[in-house]
């Protein structure tokens, strides 16, 4: 899967850079950053994950570190709320490092086939390696570069 396009909001870009620094000493990685609201009432959401997941202690550590950096730089003017969490089941997979953790789960993957045709395949994620993912029922791996969206399918 290609790297997500750069954030267009300079504030979100700077927060992402600080978040990357906050997770640099461990096995976590930043999946996404969202800044919503207006000056004085912003909500800064930072989504992090890890190859083995991210526990409450991990999220608290990142939140403290990132909150300190944001306050030190006085980056978010006025009041704001910082939410550091894992992406959750309702968000699409956006980083190739997320796939390995979902081997054995049902995925719906929309991807380009033959360069111009969008196809959605659903099946158990059989494997995820450096080149792509293999779903049960597919005869060939799906390269990350062709994936446009992938979501874990919940059993309910």
């Amino acid at each position: 899967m290609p790297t997500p396009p750069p954030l267009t909001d300079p504030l979100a870009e700077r927060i992402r850079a600080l978040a990357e620094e906050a997770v640099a000493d461990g096995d976590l990685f930043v999946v996404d950053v969202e800044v919503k609201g207006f000056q004085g009432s912003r909500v800064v959401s930072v989504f992090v994950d890890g190859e083995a997941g991210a526990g409450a202690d991990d999220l608290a550590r990142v939140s403290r570190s990132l909150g300190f950096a944001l306050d030190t730089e006085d980056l978010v003017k006025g009041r704001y709320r910082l939410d550091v969490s894992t992406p959750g089941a309702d968000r699409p997979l956006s980083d190739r490092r997320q796939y390995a953790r979902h081997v054995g789960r049902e995925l719906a993957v929309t991807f380009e086939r033959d360069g111009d045709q969008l196809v959605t395949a659903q099946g158990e994620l059989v494997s995820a390696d450096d080149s792509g993912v293999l779903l049960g029922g597919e005869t060939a791996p799906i390269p990350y570069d062709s994936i446009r969206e992938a979501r874990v399918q919940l059993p309910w």
Side-chain angles (χ1 to χ4, degrees):
M1 176 178 285
T3 303
L7 300 169
T8 56
D9 177 6
L11 177 59
E13 288 177 9
R14 182 64 186 134
I15 293 170
R16 183 181 197 71
L18 291 172
E20 295 283 356
E21 290 175 19
V23 300
D25 63 344
D27 68 342
L28 300 178
F29 52 89
V30 178
V31 174
D32 199 9
V33 173
E34 293 177 352
V35 180
K36 295 181 179 176
F38 302 97
Q39 185 172 335
S41 64
R42 292 197 191 271
V43 177
V44 176
S45 299
V46 177
F47 300 96
V48 298
D49 207 347
E51 291 180 22
D57 290 342
D58 297 322
L59 298 175
R61 180 183 49 77
V62 172
S63 182
R64 279 191 305 274
S65 176
L66 181 56
F68 179 77
L70 290 173
D71 291 345
T72 300
E73 286 194 18
D74 195 24
L75 194 57
V76 183
K77 304 297 181 202
R79 294 177 49 105
Y80 70 94
R81 185 178 80 219
L82 174 62
D83 294 331
V84 176
S85 66
T86 58
D90 60 331
R91 296 182 69 87
L93 303 179
S94 60
D95 188 297
R96 62 180 63 189
R97 294 173 286 185
Q98 291 178 283
Y99 287 87
R101 229 171 39 107
H102 295 289
V103 168
R105 292 191 174 144
E106 190 83 7
L107 254 60
V109 180
T110 301
F111 62 99
E112 284 185 24
R113 180 177 282 161
D114 301 327
D116 62 349
Q117 179 185 12
L118 277 181
V119 176
T120 300
Q122 186 168 329
E124 179 183 335
L125 179 59
V126 176
S127 67
D129 59 24
D130 291 339
S131 61
V133 299
L134 179 62
L135 295 180
E138 289 292 307
T139 58
I142 303 168
Y144 290 111
D145 291 344
S146 69
I147 297 175
R148 296 298 160 251
E149 182 176 88
R151 289 182 181 269
V152 174
Q153 300 299 291
L154 300 175
W156 52 85

